[in-house]
């Protein structure tokens, strides 16, 4: 099985001639033509979009999870603090009515 990658203009507007996959001296499993209009390469997965590994994405995901966890803890602490302050405000109010000094009796 083989695929043909047609010629294309790269990002520098230089014409790259077409080639067949797998390339001579390349990976024999790379039988598909992958890439975009300005960069094409042979790959072993027809659904591949990039010619490099995606391992850096896991670090971004771990960083995002750590950041979201810290934000959740801060939000939780804020909500607990507000609840405690509201409870203290309500529980320390005087229970008896204040005398306004106005008598409603005739």
């Amino acid at each position: 099985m083989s695929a043909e990658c047609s010629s294309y203009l790269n990002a520098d507007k230089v014409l790259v001639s077409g080639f067949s996959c797998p390339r001579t001296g390349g990976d024999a499993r790379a039988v598909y033509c992958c890439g975009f209009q300005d960069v094409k390469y042979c790959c072993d997965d027809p659904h591949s979009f990039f010619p490099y590994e995606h391992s850096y994405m896991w670090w971004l995901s771990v960083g995002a999870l750590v950041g979201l966890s810290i934000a959740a803890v801060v939000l939780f602490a804020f909500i607990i603090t507000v609840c405690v302050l509201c409870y203290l405000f309500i529980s320390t109010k005087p229970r008896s009515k204040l005398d306004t000094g106005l008598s409603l009796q005739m």
Side-chain angles (χ1 to χ4, degrees), residues 2-7 18-21 31-33 40:
S2 66
E4 291 288 326
C5 285
S6 60
S7 59
F19 53 90
S20 295
C21 294
V31 294
Y32 299 102
C33 181
K40 294 182 183 180

Side-chain angles (χ1 to χ4, degrees), residues 4-55:
E4 291 288 326
C5 285
S6 60
S7 59
Y8 61 94
L9 289 176
N10 65 11
D12 297 325
K13 305 296 182 204
V14 175
L15 180 66
V16 177
S17 60
F19 53 90
S20 295
C21 294
R23 295 184 107 166
T24 306
D27 187 3
R29 295 174 297 163
V31 294
Y32 299 102
C33 181
C34 299
F36 301 100
Q37 290 180 351
D38 61 345
V39 61
K40 294 182 183 180
Y41 55 94
C42 297
C43 64
D44 60 352
D45 181 9
H47 302 292
S48 176
F49 294 108
F50 299 103
Y52 44 84
E53 294 296 322
H54 301 288
S55 61

Side-chain angles (χ1 to χ4, degrees), residues 39-100:
V39 61
K40 294 182 183 180
Y41 55 94
C42 297
C43 64
D44 60 352
D45 181 9
H47 302 292
S48 176
F49 294 108
F50 299 103
Y52 44 84
E53 294 296 322
H54 301 288
S55 61
Y56 71 94
M57 293 297 284
W58 289 109
W59 289 111
L60 291 177
S61 298
V62 169
L65 287 175
V66 168
L68 287 174
S69 299
I70 291 171
V73 168
V74 169
L75 179 65
F76 184 69
F78 176 75
I79 290 173
I80 295 297
T81 303
V82 168
C83 291
V84 167
L85 290 176
C86 286
Y87 173 76
L88 290 174
F89 177 75
I90 291 171
S91 66
T92 57
K93 278 179 101 173
R95 299 275 181 215
S96 63
K97 288 189 171 188
L98 295 175
D99 184 18
T100 60

Side-chain angles (χ1 to χ4, degrees), residues 102-106:
L102 299 174
S103 177
L104 298 177
Q105 296 176 358
M106 300 223 31

